Amino acid sequence: MSKEKESEFKPYHHPAGGWGAANATAKVLMEQSVLVKGSRGLLAMNQPGGFKCPSCAFPDPDHRKTLEFCENGAKALAHEVTKARVTREFFAQHTVTELMERSDYWLEMQGRLTEPMRYDAATDKYVPVAWDDAFALIGKHLQALDSPHQAEFYTSGRTANETAFLYSIFVREFGTNNFPDCSNMCHEPTSRGLPPAIGIGKGTIVMSDFEHAEAIFVIGQNTGTNSPRMMTNLVEARKRGIPIVLINPMPERALIRFTEPQDILQMGTFGSTAISSEFVHVRIGGDLAIFKGMMRALFEAEERGEKVLDQDFIAEHTAGLEALRADVMSVSWADITRISGVSEEQIRRIAGIYAKSNATIICYGMGLTQHQEGSHLVQQVASLLLLKGNFGKKGAGIAPIRGHSNVQGDRTVGIDEKPTQAYLDRVRDVFGFEPPREHGHHVVEAVAAMEEGTAKVFFGMGGNFARAIPDTERSYEAMGRLNLTVNVTTKLNRGHLVHGKDALILPVVSRSEIIRTTKGEQFVTIEDAMSNVTPSRGVFEPVSPDVRPETEIICRVAMTTLPHSKTAWADYIEDYTLIRDRIAEVYPEIYTGFSEKMKDPHGFHLDIPPRRRVWKTPNGKANFIVMPGLEVNDVIEDPAMLRLATIRSHDQYNTTIYSNSDRYRGVYNNRLVIFMNKEDREDRGLENGAVIGLETYSEDGRRRYVDGLTILDYPMPRGAIAGYYPELNPLLPLDFYDEISGTPAAKAIPVKVVPSIASAAPIRIAG
């Protein structure tokens, strides 16, 4: 192990991107000993005929550059093609108990898994297991269940369309709709909140819309870290003089000033582009108040005789305007400014920007969705856009900026715990079995079933479920009660160490690696955040002869578990075109001619009816939906209460930690920090750099506490703090979530500062 480095807080004043990003890309390739191989892979990533980036879901541009990747995409690739290996010898040296003491970063740095492993309780170690024996063990456990509903089938957003589709068919033929999914923890409010408003749970823009937008709003999203390639679109918009309004509790470096790493002139002159024309420093939970303030300003302008609303669009395409108007006009400006933490003057100013624009895009991230009323918040964004007719025209629409590279595609092809009856009818007609009709479990419900003992088996198709879910201590205890845990994965993570009585780790071919079968080389498909479906074809040899493609693993589990199935599982292992043909049969409205369309390396766009001003809602209209009041989280009457937002560092992707630093926020070699407003700190009699504990307000009698956290002064709004995920997941109660979507409210956890009993290493605070 390398010598532990000194922790430091040193504010970052340079533009985001630029030489910092270029240096970080070169550094990670060298750290993983893949400078040549990684560079070759980057030339194929997000290019026609190559493979899709394994990290974020942001689309490829219409006109691609020679290098079409970002710093975080380079990190994801470098860690995927790393020379480091986790072999049987590694597992022989470490018990699971020992590995649990290691950091998430240390586990990530051990490298790629090379063969299937089974947990041996006698030695507390993972030991090698043959693939046939692994499949037999899974089949034995699933067949022994009293009910199919005693199994939980999780899906990560990296899972390709072909695998996700077959996974959904297998699980439904097995007899359940239990599909806890990674989207349950992030953009499920989009999937559940948008359909009543506009008829579909997806964004409505395509990449070219950025070129025609007259205003862009970015809400609750740290673009420079979570979707860095989107920065190119924002830079180009600012160069055209397009106003960009940012609404966020944290000022993010990339959204202040950015240097394009592929802009030779900017790089050579150390130049940069100012991104935001207006930064709205909202309090945590204050977004609804801002939206209603903007809408109130628009309604007031109409009352003065100004023509700011698109009355023709509203009359032809919408319903519910008067109820919305009555609700919005019932809230006072005093309450709007108090709850949002933003002045009436600024809210009116950004409403004026919106009113003047004839084509507006509103982008949002998990800062909007991870609240107790996340689904309703998304509906208010839709209402704001409907007032100006910002659907079905160039340069306008709603843009949820998704995370994982195929999290949206998985949902499209069947990973849904609440499937429609029409979809289930098509599955029955195409595959010849009767699928279960009752709704299954989302993530929170799945963990509750584990706690209650009604869930016996967990099957994880990728991801790091145990580390990603809320209420860490409680969730670990629940998962430890399972009879079997299975994790299909590329690398070791903590989710493999929180296991059932039996446990399997099944290593897979990665996104960048070649899939070969008896029918030749195969490719998979990915749907990005703007509903474009593209092929992804690996370019490297698999890391080991003992890894298997995800699709083969699902088919062989199905063949073992369902020996009398009439589904052609063996054929699907060999020929992925057959899978795409079945997808087209189950989804004829959007996937007709799927295999033929995939001959175009640029892919095709799925039909999004609102782009045609068609509304697949019960009344055939786009609906203004009223959300009474201004609060989006429980009100707690305690002046000591703070709202905690869990965030990702610049050097991580979801639960994957690439380093213990966060360059843009100026934190180095430490993740146990809390970003706090200076006045909030002083009110509590604390020094900058003081070590504290945080405790959650909760009513269930369970204490949720994290210790050893160092306070850092940061420009946060009063009453708001932030700290890193997943380290602060223990503070997020399992039952603190949006009732409509089931998404945990990770961006507004009510906490209070308590004395620390830990001996945390000091952080050197630079000027």
Side-chain angles (χ1 to χ4, degrees):
M1 294 178 61
S2 60
K3 184 179 179 181
E4 191 170 334
K5 298 178 181 178
E6 180 186 27
S7 296
E8 182 180 31
F9 177 57
K10 184 179 181 181
Y12 191 84
H13 299 297
H14 305 288
W19 288 108
N23 291 338
T25 298
K27 180 181 177 182
V28 73
L29 293 174
M30 288 188 288
E31 283 178 343
Q32 300 304 315
S33 302
V34 289
L35 186 58
V36 175
K37 182 179 181 180
S39 299
R40 183 161 60 90
L42 290 173
L43 290 171
M45 191 159 72
N46 300 321
Q47 298 291 349
F51 61 94
K52 299 296 294 181
C53 178
S55 59
C56 84
F58 198 72
D60 299 327
D62 296 333
H63 306 289
R64 305 188 197 197
K65 303 171 184 175
T66 302
L67 300 178
E68 195 55 67
F69 62 88
C70 66
E71 176 187 341
N72 277 6
K75 291 171 184 173
L77 177 65
H79 282 245
E80 187 172 283
V81 302
T82 176
K83 286 189 175 181
R85 300 288 183 267
V86 178
T87 63
R88 60 175 62 189
E89 289 77 19
F90 170 89
F91 285 112
Q93 294 169 7
H94 301 283
T95 66
V96 169
T97 302
E98 291 169 353
L99 291 173
M100 276 294 287
E101 297 302 313
R102 301 290 191 174
S103 70
D104 295 301
Y105 170 63
W106 187 90
L107 294 173
E108 168 65 23
M109 292 298 287
Q110 301 315 299
R112 288 286 300 277
L113 293 154
T114 57
E115 64 179 317
M117 306 297 292
R118 175 185 60 81
Y119 179 68
D120 176 55
T123 60
D124 188 33
K125 293 180 179 180
Y126 275 98
V127 297
V129 62
W131 277 104
D132 286 345
D133 292 338
F135 295 131
L137 182 63
I138 297 168
K140 175 185 174 182
H141 274 279
L142 291 177
Q143 291 169 349
L145 296 175
D146 295 329
S147 164
H149 305 309
Q150 292 180 323
E152 305 290 345
F153 295 92
Y154 177 72
T155 320
S156 158
R158 283 194 184 185
T159 309
N161 287 326
E162 290 74 9
T163 306
F165 175 75
L166 288 185
Y167 192 37
S168 71
I169 298 303
F170 157 59
V171 172
R172 292 194 167 99
E173 187 170 356
F174 177 64
T176 187
N177 286 311
N178 285 350
F179 281 109
D181 179 61
C182 66
S183 65
N184 295 156
M185 293 179 277
C186 55
H187 266 283
E188 193 70 0
T190 296
S191 301
R192 304 300 177 195
L194 279 184
I198 63 171
I200 193 169
K202 298 185 180 186
T204 64
I205 73 165
V206 295
M207 286 289 279
S208 61
D209 284 317
F210 281 106
E211 300 171 12
H212 301 281
E214 296 181 13
I216 299 171
F217 285 67
V218 181
I219 305 171
Q221 201 243 349
N222 180 8
T223 311
T225 290
N226 299 334
S227 305
R229 289 200 295 153
M230 179 178 162
M231 292 305 304
T232 299
N233 302 93
L234 300 183
V235 167
E236 291 172 352
R238 286 302 290 142
K239 288 178 178 178
R240 297 197 313 273
I242 301 303
I244 297 177
V245 177
L246 312 177
I247 303 176
N248 206 322
M250 297 187 78
E252 303 292 1
R253 191 69 209 160
L255 294 174
I256 297 170
R257 186 166 287 279
F258 186 78
T259 299
E260 292 184 88
Q262 296 187 47
D263 186 322
I264 296 174
L265 180 60
Q266 275 200 344
M267 292 287 283
T269 60
F270 295 92
S272 61
T273 302
I275 301 299
S276 63
S277 52
E278 186 92 31
F279 174 57
V280 183
H281 205 189
V282 62
R283 285 181 179 153
I284 287 178
D287 306 272
L288 176 61
I290 288 179
F291 300 154
K292 289 196 175 183
M294 291 177 66
M295 288 190 278
R296 175 163 184 148
L298 296 176
F299 288 137
E300 289 175 355
E302 284 282 317
E303 290 177 355
R304 295 192 300 268
E306 300 175 29
K307 303 297 183 182
V308 295
L309 305 185
D310 190 335
Q311 296 290 0
D312 291 340
F313 173 88
I314 291 169
E316 182 179 353
H317 291 284
T318 72
L321 176 64
E322 292 312 313
L324 179 76
R325 187 198 307 268
D327 173 70
V328 167
M329 298 305 288
S330 71
V331 297
S332 69
W333 277 107
D335 285 340
I336 288 170
T337 57
R338 175 178 57 84
I339 292 173
S340 68
V342 179
S343 70
E344 179 180 344
E345 176 189 12
Q346 187 174 31
I347 295 174
R348 288 188 180 278
R349 188 163 63 246
I350 64 173
I353 292 171
Y354 181 67
K356 291 176 183 177
S357 170
N358 293 311
T360 300
I361 295 172
I362 298 184
C363 310
Y364 65 88
M366 290 187 292
L368 206 63
T369 59
Q370 288 183 325
H371 288 273
Q372 281 182 292
E373 298 287 350
S375 297
H376 281 138
L377 272 176
V378 170
Q379 291 169 349
Q380 300 311 297
V381 174
S383 289
L384 187 57
L385 287 164
L386 289 170
L387 289 174
K388 290 279 293 176
N390 279 307
F391 290 97
K393 62 183 180 184
K394 288 183 177 181
I398 195 165
I401 305 301
R402 307 265 186 169
H404 251 152
S405 59
N406 198 43
V407 63
Q408 183 165 301
D410 290 351
R411 266 293 191 255
T412 302
V413 299
I415 303 300
D416 189 346
E417 78 278 6
K418 297 180 177 65
T420 66
Q421 295 303 306
Y423 158 77
L424 294 173
D425 288 344
R426 291 194 297 272
V427 169
R428 177 198 61 203
D429 296 343
V430 172
F431 286 94
F433 66 85
E434 183 59 48
R437 299 285 170 163
E438 61 268 47
H439 287 169
H441 295 157
H442 56 52
V443 164
V444 172
E445 293 164 336
V447 177
M450 295 175 196
E451 273 193 313
E452 294 163 4
T454 56
K456 304 292 186 182
V457 172
F458 171 83
F459 192 105
M461 179 51 62
N464 187 358
F465 181 81
R467 196 61 168 142
I469 54 182
D471 231 340
T472 304
E473 180 181 345
R474 183 178 171 187
S475 296
Y476 283 8
E477 291 173 0
M479 293 198 73
R481 298 174 185 171
L482 293 163
N483 291 336
L484 173 69
T485 52
V486 181
N487 285 280
V488 179
T489 186
T490 58
K491 303 189 77 176
L492 182 67
N493 63 52
R494 197 164 305 280
H496 311 145
L497 311 178
V498 181
H499 58 81
K501 297 177 182 66
D502 280 332
L504 292 167
I505 301 174
L506 305 181
V508 295
V509 174
S510 72
R511 183 74 61 79
S512 62
E513 292 171 343
I514 300 167
I515 299 172
R516 291 189 182 90
T517 73
T518 60
K519 298 293 184 180
E521 190 174 315
Q522 305 295 316
F523 67 88
V524 295
T525 59
I526 305 299
E527 180 187 344
D528 62 37
M530 294 178 190
S531 303
N532 194 45
V533 179
T534 51
S536 178
R537 191 184 299 272
V539 298
F540 297 123
E541 292 299 319
V543 67
S544 158
D546 287 321
V547 299
R548 297 287 183 269
E550 289 179 322
T551 298
E552 178 182 342
I553 292 173
I554 294 305
C555 290
R556 293 191 63 185
V557 169
M559 292 163 69
T560 305
T561 306
L562 306 170
H564 303 297
S565 172
K566 296 179 181 178
T567 304
W569 301 111
D571 294 337
Y572 298 143
I573 291 174
E574 307 299 337
D575 190 348
Y576 289 16
T577 299
L578 297 177
I579 308 172
R580 288 186 279 274
D581 290 342
R582 296 296 86 75
I583 292 174
E585 290 182 60
V586 174
Y587 298 97
E589 292 183 353
I590 57 174
Y591 270 113
T592 296
F594 190 8
S595 294
E596 186 65 26
K597 290 175 179 176
M598 281 301 95
K599 293 179 181 178
D600 183 344
H602 294 88
F604 70 102
H605 277 93
L606 298 177
D607 178 49
I608 303 298
R611 288 188 59 78
R612 298 181 283 110
R613 294 190 167 179
V614 172
W615 320 100
K616 300 290 186 178
T617 58
N619 63 359
K621 298 282 188 178
N623 293 293
F624 293 103
I625 298 175
V626 172
M627 179 182 175
L630 294 171
E631 299 286 353
V632 297
N633 299 293
D634 288 342
V635 177
I636 296 174
E637 299 295 341
D638 186 342
M641 191 271 288
L642 297 164
R643 289 285 182 187
L644 166 68
T646 61
I647 59 174
R648 299 192 305 205
S649 78
H650 185 62
D651 229 4
Q652 77 177 95
Y653 196 78
N654 292 343
T655 57
T656 303
I657 312 300
Y658 297 131
S659 84
N660 290 318
S661 298
D662 187 356
R663 184 170 81 246
Y664 291 161
R665 296 190 182 104
V667 180
Y668 297 91
N669 306 311
N670 199 316
R671 291 181 56 82
L672 291 177
V673 301
I674 290 295
F675 301 99
M676 184 181 287
N677 179 285
K678 179 181 178 181
E679 294 175 63
D680 283 336
R681 171 180 61 75
E682 291 175 342
D683 285 350
R684 288 159 177 78
L686 298 167
E687 297 293 326
N688 190 24
V691 178
I692 61 165
L694 286 180
E695 183 175 337
T696 308
Y697 289 78
S698 57
E699 299 177 350
D700 60 2
R702 181 186 288 263
R703 190 186 189 211
R704 295 172 177 85
Y705 172 71
V706 174
D707 200 3
L709 300 166
T710 300
I711 295 174
L712 298 176
D713 284 350
Y714 207 79
M716 302 291 296
R718 290 300 301 268
I721 60 174
Y724 294 124
Y725 152 101
E727 286 83 356
L728 297 184
N729 275 4
L731 296 169
L732 177 55
L734 197 64
D735 56 1
F736 188 60
Y737 61 88
D738 174 22
E739 291 287 345
I740 294 176
S741 67
T743 299
K747 291 296 186 285
I749 308 168
V751 297
K752 58 184 173 184
V753 173
V754 295
S756 172
I757 59 173
S759 55
I763 295 182
R764 189 174 74 85
I765 299 177

